[in-house]
Structure formats: C-alpha cells, structure tokens
Amino acid sequence: QQPVQSPQAVILREGEDAVINCSSSKALYSVHWYRQKHGEAPVFLMILLKGGEQKGHEKISASFNEKKQQSSLYLTASQLSYSGTYFCGTDLYGNKLVFGAGTILRVKS
Amino acid sequence: EAQVTQNPRYLITVTGKKLTVTCSQNMNHEYMSWYRQDPGLGLRQIYYSMNVEVTDKGDVPEGYKVSRKEKRNFPLILESPSPNQTSLYFCASSPGTSGPFNEQFFGPGTRLTVL
C-alpha cells in the first residue's frame, strides 16, 4: 500500500532540474508532497487533488495522473535550499495519508 | 505563533515502563495524527483523529494508544514500550474536517529510545 518513489536519491548542481516520481498500486483521492531537511520536521509543499486542482508552492510544480495513479514533482532551476528528503503521501479514502520511503535530493554548488 | 508542540523532544526509557508523549496545537485544527519515522521506511501513520469524536488506527497502531479528549491535544501513549518502538515520532495537525486534504503542520519530533 505504500507508494513507490523514484529515484531513491539524486545529486544535482545548482540550476539543474529534477523530477521525483510517486506511484501507487491503488486509485488515489489526492497526492501530497512534503520536504524534510535533516533534523527537522516535514514541511508541506503541494497537494494535488483528484480532478486536477493543485495547491502549493510557487517554484515547485507537480502533476497527477489519476489513471496511472502516479504523481511527479518537478524542481526547476534547483537551489541549495532545495536539498532534503522529499516524501509523497497518497490519500486513498480522504481520511489518511500513506507516505513513500522518500527521495534524497542533494544540490551542490 | 501558530505551531504544534511535542514533549518531550528526547526520551530514553526502559522496556515496559509506560510513557506518554504529548502533542498540542494552537491552530484550532480538527484533524490530528501521529507518525513514526524509521530509516528507509518513511513516515508511517500510527493513529489519526478526524475530530474529538472520531479516532482511528493508522498503518502501525500495535503497541500504541491515543486520546482526544479536547481539540488541541492528542497524546500518544505507550503502555509497555519495547525496543522495536525506538523511533522518531511526529505529531501533525490539519485544519480540514474531511481528512488531510489540506496542509499538515508537523511538530518538531520526539526521538524515543527504548532500551
């Protein structure tokens, strides 16, 4: 039931782009994205709702393919501050989230 | 300041000694939840509460209890802790009355070690 995230880790240079994928085996109500920096709590980035509505971050975008039960997070022109672990959370019934194992992103100068 | 607080932040205890980790939010949120985080496994939900009247199990509820007597507080209780409950615990809250559709605000975390 846990969604599968890929890649597990990625290293970028400042200014490069990255895509993080999240795939579920079940139909999704919504997908949530969070970022966690080392030693800190997860912080909200984005929610993608069934039907296409999207709420979230200015410089980070995402897509949600309901038919394929997949979501992708797009980080463009990455900055050092983007480093951290990214988690997707899948919402099956509108009452709880199941998080993936996370994708470690490191941005180098 | 709008926030979720947890106490204690760090705790080392021994097997079988009952403990409670408190969680409080000052944002008047309906939804509250507990997660544990273990390396390579991400965040796994222990229990959640849609409101003061509805509390339900998450994916890993064994060995844990919760209580939601008032909206702002959602303590996590370990009646008889065991070493496999050594983990980093996060409390979170969300304003939604229909589940976690909205942003979840996480507390700072409680690192628990059970010897």
Side-chain angles (χ1 to χ4, degrees):
Chain A
Q1 188 173 342
Q2 185 179 37
V4 176
Q5 289 187 231
S6 63
Q8 289 184 314
V10 59
I11 300 175
L12 301 172
R13 292 201 176 276
E14 275 187 295
E16 292 182 339
D17 301 339
V19 180
I20 300 172
N21 300 304
C22 176
S23 180
S24 173
S25 61
K26 301 197 174 195
L28 302 175
Y29 205 102
S30 64
V31 178
H32 301 225
W33 287 96
Y34 286 78
R35 177 172 63 206
Q36 184 180 30
K37 293 187 178 287
H38 183 69
E40 299 181 7
V43 174
F44 168 79
L45 292 176
M46 182 89 56
I47 291 178
L48 299 108
L49 304 174
K50 197 173 179 180
E53 185 179 353
Q54 176 177 308
K55 307 179 189 180
H57 201 274
E58 286 184 1
K59 298 183 180 179
I60 298 173
S61 62
S63 64
F64 179 20
N65 187 322
E66 296 170 35
K67 287 186 179 179
K68 292 185 178 180
Q69 295 148 202
Q70 292 177 344
S71 178
S72 295
L73 187 71
Y74 305 97
L75 302 149
T76 57
S78 58
Q79 307 168 16
L80 293 174
S81 62
Y82 285 10
S83 294
T85 302
Y86 289 77
F87 293 100
C88 73
T90 52
D91 174 14
L92 302 180
Y93 309 111
N95 59 1
K96 67 175 199 169
L97 287 183
V98 180
F99 285 94
T103 296
I104 300 171
L105 178 73
R106 181 182 170 197
V107 181
K108 299 167 64 174
S109 58
Chain B
E1 178 188 358
Q3 61 183 347
V4 179
T5 57
Q6 294 179 227
N7 282 293
R9 294 289 312 280
Y10 302 91
L11 179 60
I12 300 175
T13 189
V14 296
T15 299
K17 186 176 181 181
K18 180 180 178 179
L19 66 92
T20 299
V21 183
T22 64
C23 173
S24 183
Q25 50 93 6
N26 62 1
M27 296 170 279
N28 201 38
H29 286 171
E30 294 285 346
Y31 185 97
M32 297 187 75
S33 180
W34 276 102
Y35 297 91
R36 62 176 288 174
Q37 185 173 28
D38 303 289
L41 296 177
L43 294 151
R44 293 181 293 168
Q45 191 174 52
I46 303 170
Y47 270 93
Y48 66 96
S49 174
M50 304 281 284
N51 52 57
V52 293
E53 297 175 353
V54 180
T55 298
D56 206 351
K57 297 177 181 178
D59 295 313
V60 288
E62 294 78 20
Y64 304 95
K65 286 185 179 180
V66 292
S67 172
R68 188 91 185 271
K69 295 179 181 176
E70 49 190 338
K71 185 186 280 191
R72 65 182 292 127
N73 296 322
F74 192 45
L76 180 69
I77 303 157
L78 285 72
E79 294 272 1
S80 182
S82 62
N84 65 11
Q85 292 178 299
T86 292
S87 187
L88 178 60
Y89 291 86
F90 286 102
C91 179
S93 72
S94 173
T97 57
S98 326
F101 296 148
N102 294 300
E103 172 182 1
Q104 284 197 80
F105 294 81
F106 283 81
T110 295
R111 186 165 292 281
L112 172 66
T113 301
V114 183
L115 302 175

